[in-house]
Amino acid sequence: MSAARGPRRPTLPHPHLIWLRSAATIVLSCVVAQAGWAAALLGGQPGYLVQHRAGAWVTLVVAVAAAGVYVVLRRSAGPVNVTLALAVAVLVSVQVTLGELGVDFRSVHIFTGVLLAMLVTALTSWTYRHRLPAGPDGSSSSSPRSV
C-alpha cells in the first residue's frame, strides 16, 4: 500500500449475491422474530399472540418472495440454495397452517418451528458462503445472462 494511493477500498459482491444474501437475511430475521414472540407466549405472555399471528403472515410473504428471488437468480444461486429457499417457503406455509389449526397441533407447530429455524440458518449460511459460478473464461461474469 503506497501512501499516495491511500487504503484499498473493499469491493462489493456481485449484485446477484447482494440480492440473495439480503433475501436470506430478511427471512432469517422474520423467523427469529417469530421464535421470540412464540417464546413470550410459552412464557405466559398471551398478549404476544397478536404479533405472532401477524408475524406468521409477514414471514410467509417474505419467504415466498425470497424463494422467488432465488428462482429468478437460480443460475447465480445454485441448486442447493434454490432448494433450501423453496424448502423454507414450503415449511413456513406448513407452519402457518399448523398455527391456524390451533391448540391441538401446538407441539407439532413448535417442533416444526425449530426445524424451520435450522433450515433458514442453513440457507443463510450457504448463501453467504456461496460464490458465483465461473464463466467459460474461468472468471465470474457481471452479465446476468452468462451467469
Side-chain angles (χ1 to χ4, degrees):
M1 175 171 76
S2 70
R5 294 177 79 191
R8 184 175 170 187
R9 294 185 179 159
T11 59
L12 286 174
H14 189 279
H16 290 184
L17 291 177
I18 292 172
W19 276 99
L20 294 167
R21 291 172 181 175
S22 297
T25 302
I26 293 168
V27 174
L28 178 64
S29 300
C30 289
V31 169
V32 168
Q34 282 297 93
W37 288 318
L41 284 169
L42 293 173
Q45 300 292 325
Y48 285 99
L49 181 59
V50 173
Q51 287 89 345
H52 190 63
R53 282 185 175 157
W57 293 104
V58 170
T59 303
L60 180 61
V61 168
V62 168
V64 169
V69 169
Y70 277 84
V71 168
V72 167
L73 299 177
R74 64 188 167 275
R75 289 186 179 162
S76 296
V80 171
N81 284 333
V82 172
T83 302
L84 287 170
L86 292 171
V88 165
V90 167
L91 199 54
V92 169
S93 67
V94 168
Q95 273 294 83
V96 169
T97 302
L98 288 170
E100 291 294 318
L101 290 174
V103 177
D104 294 339
F105 294 93
R106 182 177 287 165
S107 59
V108 176
H109 182 68
I110 293 168
F111 181 72
T112 307
V114 172
L115 294 179
L116 175 60
M118 293 186 327
L119 186 62
V120 76
T121 300
L123 171 66
T124 306
S125 175
W126 275 84
T127 299
Y128 272 85
R129 291 183 292 142
H130 183 67
R131 301 286 175 245
L132 290 179
D137 61 351
S139 65
S140 293
S141 171
S142 61
S143 169
R145 297 194 188 277
S146 63
V147 179

